[in-house]
Amino acid sequence: MNTSDAIEILKNKGYKTTGKRKDILSFFEKADGYRTAKDLIQFLEETYEGISFDTIYRNLHLYNEVGILEATELNGEKHFRMNCTSHHHHHFICKDCGKTKEIEVCPMDEVQKSLVNYEIEDHKFEIYGLCPACQSI
């Protein structure tokens, strides 16, 4: 997903696309992996002096709710990234830098064999560890 796709989603759902909202989307489009609200506020403070955490969290929650951002929890803190909508896949997530690597294998075929007569509505599969760059530090 890119900023234009995300703006279209917001418009279709009746939300305004302010300069701040576009800048938030641009931040996540350029980010390489998951980022925190703190990362975002540091980026936005350069342009919007005194921007509040309430504004940041409200928009992060909205973007996650409408499917623009994916969320995960790392080290007890929520992290976000632009939603990957091109194809079904999962992620390896570096616990230090937040970078991700796509994993094409999905464990659901095996899991479904164990859950006969259960209706599975959704799933999420993530692997956490250190990427090669963070291992060498």
Side-chain angles (χ1 to χ4, degrees):
M1 179 174 307
N2 61 36
T3 299
S4 298
D5 296 335
I7 288 170
E8 195 61 35
I9 290 170
L10 288 174
K11 285 181 181 177
N12 290 340
K13 300 216 179 249
Y15 294 100
K16 294 178 185 173
T17 52
T18 64
K20 282 181 195 166
R21 286 189 170 163
K22 289 178 185 176
D23 288 346
I24 291 170
L25 294 169
S26 178
F27 171 79
F28 281 104
E29 183 177 11
K30 293 174 185 165
D32 184 15
Y34 282 89
R35 298 290 171 252
T36 65
K38 184 179 177 183
D39 297 331
L40 177 59
I41 204 163
Q42 287 173 343
F43 169 77
L44 291 175
E45 280 180 333
E46 295 174 16
T47 307
Y48 305 99
E49 189 176 325
I51 190 167
S52 72
F53 268 104
D54 285 346
T55 298
I56 299 298
Y57 282 109
R58 195 171 41 254
N59 282 287
L60 289 174
H61 177 74
L62 169 65
Y63 292 168
N64 182 244
E65 189 177 289
V66 299
I68 293 170
L69 294 180
E70 299 175 5
T72 193
E73 195 164 312
L74 283 168
N75 305 320
E77 185 177 14
K78 274 212 179 217
H79 287 64
F80 300 88
R81 68 172 271 142
M82 195 69 89
N83 200 345
C84 304
T85 57
S86 58
H87 64 284
H88 181 80
H89 63 276
H90 300 283
H91 294 115
F92 169 89
I93 304 167
C94 181
K95 291 174 71 175
D96 275 359
C97 69
K99 288 185 181 178
T100 62
K101 178 169 176 42
E102 286 186 14
I103 302 168
E104 299 300 330
V105 176
C106 180
M108 285 309 294
D109 292 336
E110 199 59 39
V111 170
Q112 286 177 320
K113 293 176 189 173
S114 303
L115 294 172
V116 177
N117 298 322
Y118 288 81
E119 184 178 328
I120 298 170
E121 295 180 358
D122 200 4
H123 73 281
K124 186 174 185 175
F125 179 70
E126 297 172 338
I127 298 175
Y128 303 95
L130 298 176
C131 70
C134 290
Q135 288 178 51
S136 63
I137 294 176

